Amino acid sequence: METDGVALTPEQARSALADAERVRASAAELSAAPWPTWFFVTLTLYVAALPVTCGGIAAEADWLLPRPAWLGVMLAITAVYGALLAVAARAWRDRTGVALRWDVLPKRATVPLAAGLPVLLVGAAFAFRVTGWPGWLLAASLMSAAVSVGFHLAFVRLHRKTA
C-alpha cells in the first residue's frame, strides 16, 4: 500500500485501517447521540399535542374549535416542528461534523416506536370520535409525552455507554 508515494509496511497499513475503523465507529456513535435539550422539549410538546389535534380533526361535530381550525393548527405545528428539526440537525452537524442518522439507532427501540406511536395517536382520535370521551385524547397525549421522555433518556444512556 502506498500513501503520498511512500510504501507502507503491512503493519502500518493495518494500523491505518484500524484508525479508519475507529473514526467510522466514532462517527456512528456521535450521530446516534441524543437531540439537543431544546429540541427534545419541542419534540415532546409536539407528540403531546398531536392526539388532541387529531381528535379535533376527527371529531364528529366541531369540538372546541371548528374542524378547519384544527387542521390549521395541525399544519402549523407540523411546519414549526419540521423547521426546528432542520435547525437541530444542522446545529448537530455543525457541532460534531456528523449528520444525524436514523440507521445507527437500535432497531429494538426504533421499530416499536415507529409502529406504536402512530397507532397511539390515530387510535386515540378514532376512539374519541366513536365515544365522544376526550379522556382518550388526554391519555394518548400523556403516553406520547412519556414515550418521548423515555426514548430520550434511553438514547442519553446509550450515548454515555459509547462515549
Side-chain angles (χ1 to χ4, degrees):
M1 180 175 195
E2 284 191 26
T3 178
D4 296 327
V6 177
L8 296 178
T9 66
E11 292 80 24
Q12 290 171 323
R14 280 192 287 280
S15 176
L17 288 173
D19 286 343
E21 184 55 38
R22 278 193 296 275
V23 169
R24 192 177 1 259
S26 175
E29 290 167 4
L30 282 175
S31 62
W35 295 106
T37 302
W38 67 265
F39 187 73
F40 153 67
V41 171
T42 301
L43 176 61
T44 301
L45 292 174
Y46 178 68
V47 297
L50 281 177
V52 176
T53 308
C54 289
I57 292 170
E60 191 148 333
D62 287 347
W63 175 69
L64 300 177
L65 295 172
R67 185 173 287 144
W70 282 114
L71 186 57
V73 168
M74 174 68 86
L75 293 173
I77 65 174
T78 302
V80 168
Y81 170 75
L84 291 175
L85 172 63
V87 169
R90 182 174 177 97
W92 180 258
R93 188 175 49 249
D94 291 346
R95 191 175 89 210
T96 65
V98 178
L100 288 169
R101 293 178 38 209
W102 305 106
D103 63 322
V104 296
L105 298 174
K107 302 293 184 262
R108 69 183 185 281
T110 55
V111 170
L113 176 67
L117 200 55
V119 169
L120 178 64
L121 300 175
V122 175
F126 178 74
F128 172 65
R129 181 178 172 92
V130 170
T131 66
W133 185 57
W136 292 109
L137 304 176
L138 178 60
S141 181
L142 292 173
M143 286 192 295
S144 297
V147 166
S148 177
V149 170
F151 272 81
H152 177 73
L153 294 175
F155 290 132
V156 166
R157 188 175 30 233
L158 172 71
H159 184 65
R160 284 189 184 140
K161 284 182 182 177
T162 60

